[in-house]
Amino acid sequence: VRRDGGAGAAAVWGWHLNPIAIALCTRGSWDCAVAGLVVFALLAAKRSRWFRAGGLVGAAAHLRLYPVIYGPAFAWRAWKTAGVRGVAALGLGFVLGAAPPTVLAYVAHGDAYLEHAVLYHVGREDHRHNFSVFWLPIYLSGALGDDRLALFLKLAPFAAHAALQAAALVGRPDDLDACVLAQTLLFVAANKVCTAQYFAWWLPLAVAVGRADGPTLRAAARWGAWAAAWLGVAYALEFLGWGVHVPLWLCSVGFFGANV
């Protein structure tokens, strides 16, 4: 993906020597493989091979549900470059990439597959090790049993996702690589649960399609500073037992802003 810009080798080493990638891969995470499928789908799209691009995104969506968010961006690009035929090829590829393995998994494992592969992620709520701005409402909802907080946790993440995904699509309609990176980064940032594992969803894309210019480096520095601040306060809460819930939540707000 980066070869046209002469940064292919830098992208490869930027991924292989990345400490987040090393830590996640050694603990047995599939997320890097899913991101790899997305990167190959972007490469197929660059070559206007829309059936292959759809199949790769479909396979990625089978392994992890989140790649379905890329559908509008890929479809728009296919329409711009190949018209109805491109969109049809993309859609057919997606169905053939996602449906067969999903059906086979359901036949093999039944409702347990749906529970662990789909429903668990839709309804997951965890306030521990969670960078998300929603961790404190999750914590208070469980502690207080407040129905208003429960309703907030159903509506607010959906609204945040809708607004941020629309912003990514409108902001980068003709740059598929940048649009997919923005969609992924913002999806992770607005999720109810945002652990370090989820950084592997967008980090390969940042390495592959990001630009090492001034604004990008400044944005990366802000992201790193807020992540370090969050980790420092989280250590005080989780390991030292200090009552720093509000400062930690403020760090989550700052981290969310850095992502956006």
Side-chain angles (χ1 to χ4, degrees):
V1 174
R2 284 289 293 274
R3 189 177 298 162
D4 292 342
V12 169
W13 289 114
W15 172 250
H16 284 302
L17 299 182
N18 192 291
I20 296 178
I22 293 170
L24 292 175
C25 289
T26 53
R27 66 188 287 267
S29 171
W30 268 91
D31 293 304
C32 300
V34 177
L37 290 173
V38 175
V39 171
F40 281 116
L42 291 172
L43 187 59
K46 278 181 174 290
R47 298 171 178 173
S48 295
R49 296 175 179 173
W50 293 111
F51 179 79
R52 180 183 299 180
L56 289 165
V57 175
H62 164 72
L63 295 173
R64 283 284 190 268
L65 193 58
Y66 77 88
V68 298
I69 65 176
Y70 306 138
F74 273 85
W76 174 251
R77 188 62 179 170
W79 172 263
K80 293 279 287 185
T81 59
V84 175
R85 183 174 296 181
V87 176
L90 177 74
L92 180 61
F94 181 88
V95 171
L96 294 179
T102 301
V103 171
L104 288 174
Y106 182 75
V107 169
H109 302 287
D111 291 342
Y113 166 72
L114 290 179
E115 173 63 31
H116 293 286
V118 180
L119 300 179
Y120 168 77
H121 298 286
V122 173
R124 182 185 178 190
E125 294 184 356
D126 188 356
H127 65 271
R128 298 176 180 85
H129 329 302
N130 186 355
F131 286 83
S132 171
V133 293
F134 297 110
W135 76 263
L136 186 57
I138 291 173
Y139 174 75
L140 294 175
S141 176
L144 303 177
D146 192 326
D147 292 338
R148 291 172 298 178
L149 279 175
L151 179 62
F152 171 80
L153 288 170
K154 291 180 179 178
L155 298 180
F158 176 80
H161 280 312
L164 293 174
Q165 292 302 306
L169 291 168
V170 172
R172 288 290 183 268
D174 297 320
D175 187 342
L176 183 60
D177 296 345
C179 183
V180 167
L181 170 58
Q183 282 186 281
T184 314
L185 183 65
L186 294 172
F187 183 82
V188 170
N191 217 19
K192 279 194 297 184
V193 178
C194 175
T195 66
Q197 176 181 339
Y198 294 177
F199 300 160
W201 294 5
W202 58 261
L203 188 58
L205 300 173
V207 172
V209 308
R211 299 175 179 86
D213 55 15
T216 302
L217 294 176
R218 287 192 292 272
R222 286 194 296 272
W223 188 95
W226 278 109
W230 189 96
L231 289 169
V233 180
Y235 178 84
L237 174 64
E238 295 197 19
F239 288 88
L240 302 180
W242 296 0
V244 289
H245 296 74
V246 172
L248 182 59
W249 181 75
L250 292 175
C251 287
S252 292
V253 173
F255 183 69
F256 176 78
N259 278 276
V260 174

